[in-house]
Amino acid sequence: MRHQPRTPIYLDFQATTPVDERVLSAMLPYFSTNYGNPASREHLYGREAHLTVESAREKIGSAIGAKPQDICFTSGATESINLAIKGLFFNNYEKDQHYITVLTEHRAVLDSFRMIESDGAKVTYLPVDNQGMIDPQQIAAAIRPETIMASVMAANNEIGVIQPIKEIGAVCRTHNILFMTDATQAFGKIKLNVQEMNIDLLTCSAHKIYGPKGIGALYCRRSMPRVQLRPIISGGGHERGLRSGTLNVPGIIGFARAAEIAVKGMNAEQTRILKLRNMLHEILNKSIPDIRLNGHSERRLAGNLNLTIPGIESEALIIALNETVAVSSGSACTTAAIEPSHVLRALGLSDTEIHSSIRIAIGRPTTKEEIEIAGKSIIAETKRLQELCLNTGGVN
Ligand SMILES: *Cc1c(COP(=O)(O)O)cnc(C)c1O
């Protein structure tokens, strides 16, 4: 995929990604030529659509070692997360229920747990260490007789930290509780296997892997153990009754093609991206003293750099960079809410440090040249802002 170079240089691939041209061309026929409804199987249009969707389901499943019938298509990871957490809670409504999760989870996970808490569930929010890591033993220690499920994200959207998913899955299986992972950032970037990792529920989304927006999936294990969810969206009984509504056929085709491309090129691409990240980190380290990396230095996604730059306000830096580089002050959702990042807070950063932090996310279209230009711009604007600060008496 070689896009036309565009300015500002986009370094926010954890918020979203452009649709890969191969994905787009796979999708196009399903808008106006093969427009059948996969539920209308009495004629050829419907049957064709049905077959294509089922082959896409197989591709998504095989990306995580899952059976196709355990894949449920949704409108994205937010919906998948809501369906998993609320669906499980409402399916067990009569019981005393306890859940375990982590303070650094995505808002969709935390807010879904808050919702079921207000309906009577008990939820334990585990802390992380100052690198953003969770120890599987913390999960073991938090399990109670009434614990239903533990939810731990595979890779973090702000700091890129990769949790020990296999070890956590083993702990959950040993203690007979379900294990859910929000794999939206990890899917297509690191190896995931629901069998080897004992994952019972997994969420992912196409637009984080060069697929279209508005399509995602929930992996929901249907045997050993059988996970039962109460649906949130009722209607025609699509997706085995788990999620009604006419399927987004072009989206599903695009999602499957995007997953295929990501998994096939995973090792080479992650190696390339890691090189670019190390290069940018070095460039910045050399010219900006006291720069600090947030999150574990090795156990993180190849493309993620979350940096605290003392003496600058990240909002001011991002505005100063507006014409040259597009970076983020954290997760897109947090930015909309203008709240300091709950992830960086969980790492023990002060408010001042949080407000001096930026997230850089390198992606598939990123080139070495772009990294060099971005590095120069970030250094120049940082120095300018730091001097401005010194002359006016500093931040806060
Ligand atoms: C982007 C993201 C989500 C939300 O996904 P959508 O498909 O945009 O709803 C959930 N969790 C993580 C970790 C994410 O990065």
Side-chain angles (χ1 to χ4, degrees):
M1 175 173 68
R2 279 293 153 255
H3 285 261
Q4 289 297 323
R6 260 198 69 180
T7 50
I9 294 164
Y10 187 76
L11 288 179
D12 199 16
F13 290 94
Q14 280 185 285
T16 195
T17 60
V19 173
D20 189 297
E21 279 156 25
R22 291 164 288 180
V23 170
L24 182 62
S25 58
M27 290 172 70
L28 284 176
Y30 294 91
F31 285 101
S32 51
T33 313
N34 305 340
Y35 50 81
N37 184 335
S40 311
R41 271 178 263 165
E42 58 275 85
H43 53 64
L44 193 64
Y45 290 83
R47 278 199 296 278
E48 271 178 2
H50 171 72
L51 287 177
T52 333
V53 164
E54 291 318 304
S55 129
R57 198 187 300 281
E58 231 171 84
K59 285 178 190 159
I60 299 287
S62 81
I64 54 170
K67 295 188 187 121
Q69 62 266 33
D70 293 6
I71 301 294
C72 170
F73 289 113
T74 66
S75 66
T78 299
E79 187 191 324
S80 300
I81 290 164
N82 274 264
L83 173 56
I85 296 171
K86 295 177 189 173
L88 198 55
F89 173 74
F90 285 111
N91 195 61
N92 291 287
Y93 200 62
E94 304 303 318
K95 293 190 207 161
D96 278 340
Q97 299 186 53
H98 173 245
Y99 292 84
I100 300 166
T101 191
V102 184
L103 285 173
T104 50
E105 293 292 303
H106 190 272
R107 276 273 158 232
V109 172
L110 294 176
D111 285 356
S112 293
F113 277 121
R114 288 279 179 231
M115 183 79 116
I116 64 165
E117 244 182 330
S118 72
D119 276 324
K122 298 278 182 291
V123 183
T124 299
Y125 299 89
L126 294 172
V128 291
D129 66 16
N130 60 9
Q131 314 254 40
M133 299 296 296
I134 184 114
D135 179 342
Q137 287 318 307
Q138 288 174 265
I139 308 275
I143 293 173
R144 306 177 192 169
E146 65 278 14
T147 304
I148 303 271
M149 177 258 269
S151 184
V152 181
M153 74 203 308
N156 188 275
N157 48 301
E158 291 187 45
I159 53 177
V161 162
I162 299 167
Q163 299 294 356
I165 291 305
K166 189 172 178 191
E167 290 76 6
I168 295 171
V171 165
C172 292
R173 189 52 50 90
T174 307
H175 290 83
N176 241 334
I177 66 163
L178 298 177
F179 176 40
M180 161 172 167
T181 189
D182 173 6
T184 314
Q185 292 289 341
F187 186 84
K189 295 179 197 144
I190 62 170
K191 270 192 92 175
L192 292 168
N193 186 297
V194 296
Q195 309 306 346
E196 288 166 14
M197 298 174 160
N198 287 305
I199 296 165
D200 301 308
L201 292 153
L202 177 149
T203 63
C204 52
S205 183
H207 79 98
K208 302 283 173 76
I209 58 159
Y210 309 92
K213 293 167 182 63
I215 184 76
L218 172 66
Y219 160 76
C220 178
R221 186 185 288 278
R222 282 180 194 254
S223 63
M224 296 193 297
R226 176 174 170 78
V227 182
Q228 281 184 288
L229 305 177
R230 188 166 150 179
I232 295 174
I233 300 179
S234 310
H238 306 77
E239 299 298 88
R240 297 171 169 242
L242 204 50
R243 202 273 191 182
S244 285
T246 300
L247 293 175
N248 172 359
V249 179
I252 289 168
I253 304 305
F255 187 13
R257 185 76 183 105
E260 207 172 39
I261 295 168
V263 170
K264 194 155 168 262
M266 183 152 67
N267 292 340
E269 181 60 1
Q270 296 309 305
T271 307
R272 188 190 75 89
I273 286 179
L274 181 60
K275 272 198 197 130
L276 294 178
R277 178 187 92 196
N278 288 337
M279 185 179 140
L280 182 58
H281 196 187
E282 254 170 55
I283 294 174
L284 298 177
N285 253 337
K286 243 186 259 163
S287 299
I288 312 170
D290 311 326
I291 205 165
R292 273 199 319 276
L293 179 69
N294 296 313
H296 199 284
S297 59
E298 270 121 49
R299 295 198 54 107
R300 66 192 300 136
L301 293 174
N304 175 282
L305 266 185
N306 189 304
L307 301 168
T308 300
I309 311 176
I312 61 127
E313 291 249 15
S314 50
E315 292 301 329
L317 177 61
I318 290 164
I319 292 169
L321 286 169
N322 254 337
E323 312 256 298
T324 48
V325 191
V327 293
S328 153
S329 59
S331 76
C333 316
T334 312
T335 311
I338 321 191
E339 267 171 33
S341 154
H342 68 281
V343 175
L344 296 181
R345 179 159 290 163
L347 261 55
L349 270 67
S350 68
D351 274 3
T352 311
E353 288 169 321
I354 295 173
H355 286 298
S356 303
S357 302
I358 58 166
R359 178 187 69 182
I360 299 169
I362 297 164
R364 193 181 288 165
T366 310
T367 62
K368 189 161 165 267
E369 293 68 40
E370 284 183 319
I371 290 296
E372 282 163 356
I373 301 168
K376 274 188 198 141
S377 303
I378 295 169
I379 291 164
E381 293 306 333
T382 299
K383 295 220 153 137
R384 202 176 57 77
L385 287 171
Q386 281 175 336
E387 270 160 34
L388 213 66
C389 254
L390 288 177
N391 294 338
T392 57
V395 223
N396 300 338

